[in-house]
Amino acid sequence: MNKVHNFSAGPAILPQSAIDASIQALQNFGGTGLSLIEVSHRGKEFEAVVAEACNLVKEILNLSADYEVIFLQGGASLQFDMIPMNFLTPGKTAAYVNTGVWASRAIKEAKMFGEVNVLASSEDKNFAYIPKDYSIPADAAYYHCTSNNTIYGTEMFSFPETNVPMICDMSSDIFSRPFDASKFDMIYAGAQKNMGPAGTTLVIIKKSLLEKANAKVPTMLNYKIHVENGSMYNTPSVFAIFVCMHTLRWIKEIGLTAMEARNKAKADLLYAEIDRNSLFTGTVAVEDRSRMNVNFVLTNPAHEEPFLKFCASRNLSGLKGHRSVGGLRASLYNALELESVQALVDAMQTYESQNA
Ligand SMILES: *Cc1c(COP(=O)(O)O)cnc(C)c1O
């Protein structure tokens, strides 16, 4: 079979080494003679997987001993509820920035548990930019932002300075570049964009934030319980965590500095073609262009379907924009190679030569 270039926004492309290791482990996991999906999560072989995955997260992000790392279920979406349930303490207000669908959902859920102050929103321009002009009230319970807006293709390249606990949804750009994790009190990411398959969510929490948590939170939604039980309060997503562990090994081997250079090269190549090619236009503010999700449209919408078909015929997959925004979206997550972006750029140039 010819190589299919996978631009899917999520679940998304993973490193071949993680897929190969998974195939092997489905046959015979760690020499147990059993499949990965038929062993106890409490066996020493799988406990070693969870421990290594957590340690890799700590190493890659240079986390101090002040942080806990756990793997939960329920997707990034369950975090939208768990965060206010645990940290929106009575009498306090939580501060959110609305940068798109996922941020809006986080806000909607938080409002079920307490007072929410939406500090800024880019909804006026269909979320085509990152709002930067706002200040965070010093008495907020926490500040919540979304570092990469998967659906719209905008990314935060800097974060505000504040003494308020900072919580960030990094589902779609975690491990794509170096950043100062010590600025954050909590980071979370659904695995299926940049670090693994669907079924597990990485949560990194500072111990000082955990200490401030509400006392009465249902057990399965209580971060302290999951931390105390090392992600093993109940049966974790064994398979998903295994694939994350292998993806994290691959990320560590490359390193975040080289990963950023790789990701920048891919994004620069595609944005340059979007800006050059007469048939295509970018949809978001240039300074906020995401390196992970590149949103663009055909200047003539009648070309959209034919161009997507043309792409499919060249083994370029997953380019249709999210149903809420339309147009095209090329997701360039860590594991996507530059040659795949080059194949897309070649297709755009050929299509232009045939249709301009
Ligand atoms: C995909 C995504 C989500 C939702 O993730 P689920 O795991 O499907 O709940 C939340 N936030 C961001 C930024 C995303 O990209």
Side-chain angles (χ1 to χ4, degrees), residues 59 87 113 127 138 152 155 181 189 196 199 203 219 241 253-254 267 272-273 300 320 323:
E59 278 178 57
F87 304 127
F113 300 99
F127 301 115
Y152 302 89
E155 190 167 4
V203 175
T219 309
I241 295 171
E253 206 176 293
I254 293 180
E273 178 60 18
N300 176 355
K320 200 171 165 59
R323 60 192 185 282

Side-chain angles (χ1 to χ4, degrees), residues 36 46 71 191 195-201 237-245:
L36 171 64
F46 185 70
F71 286 89
M195 62 174 291
T200 191
T201 307
S237 281
V238 170
F239 180 75
I241 295 171
F242 177 89
V243 184
C244 286
M245 189 269 277

